[in-house]
Amino acid sequence: MRRRFAVKLFCSYALLVAVNAVVAELLISRFAAEDQRREIEDSLAGQAVLLADAARAGLESGGDATLERRVEQLGAATGSRLTVVAGDGRVLADSAERAATMENHLTRPEFVQAARDGRGIDERTSATTGQQTLYVCIAVPGPRARLGFVRAALPLPTVAARRDRLRGPILGG
């Protein structure tokens, strides 16, 4: 009788510990993912500000080979996809694709928001890469009117991979 009671008590405590571990894992991974997303968003915003300074002359001239090379170099250095877009939505330079083959970007959510608020953020599947991507776009003001936009983007599978690496130790603990 005492043995059965001890087994039932052990099983109930084991179940309680397992449920607590699952709840803790869900909460921690959720907060970690939100925290990482904010960090990535801030990093992309900083990159976009730097890109705006680097691209200002190219935006004023309407784009050229120098702007394309500079954007490719900055994209390689940051590991992010960088895009410079004219005020009318034409892509002038992109660190991952040929600008001439890309469609007009003016109606994309991050550009619409940046045109309205100065900065736009969107998360969606990239039409170019097919990956879930976080985009941060800022409008580049000129002396009289907006010169155009710059955008920094990063695929989000890296965030999911980091979160998945946390799951094992949390559940193991």
Side-chain angles (χ1 to χ4, degrees):
M1 179 90 167
R2 290 179 91 182
R3 187 172 173 89
R4 262 180 75 178
F5 177 74
V7 169
K8 284 182 181 181
L9 188 62
F10 175 78
C11 288
S12 63
Y13 278 126
L15 180 63
L16 185 62
V17 168
V19 168
N20 281 335
V22 169
V23 169
E25 189 279 327
L26 290 173
L27 290 173
I28 290 170
S29 64
R30 178 176 166 221
F31 290 127
E34 288 174 6
D35 207 35
Q36 283 179 328
R37 182 190 159 106
R38 270 192 302 277
E39 285 178 20
I40 291 170
E41 222 173 85
D42 291 345
S43 174
L44 290 174
Q47 290 174 26
V49 168
L50 293 174
L51 178 60
D53 289 340
R56 186 172 299 280
L59 280 166
E60 289 171 346
S61 69
D64 57 14
T66 304
L67 176 63
E68 289 181 37
R69 280 193 307 278
R70 184 72 179 136
V71 169
E72 286 174 10
Q73 290 169 345
L74 290 171
T78 61
S80 300
R81 181 172 178 198
L82 304 175
T83 310
V84 177
V85 176
D88 62 2
R90 285 177 300 114
V91 178
L92 300 176
D94 188 272
S95 63
E97 293 291 321
R98 287 188 17 166
T101 63
M102 297 176 73
E103 63 188 32
N104 190 296
H105 279 40
L106 206 53
T107 59
R108 296 191 176 181
E110 67 274 17
F111 286 91
V112 171
Q113 187 180 9
R116 186 183 65 236
D117 303 331
R119 177 177 165 175
I121 299 168
D122 191 41
E123 180 182 327
R124 66 174 181 280
T125 302
S126 168
T128 306
T129 66
Q131 292 184 309
Q132 190 70 10
T133 303
L134 180 63
Y135 298 94
V136 176
C137 177
I138 63 170
V140 181
R144 290 181 299 275
R146 181 177 55 235
L147 294 174
F149 302 91
V150 293
R151 180 181 72 179
L154 191 66
L156 290 179
T158 56
V159 174
R162 288 179 189 168
R163 185 184 62 231
D164 291 343
R165 284 196 307 263
L166 285 174
R167 281 196 170 134
I170 292 169
L171 288 175

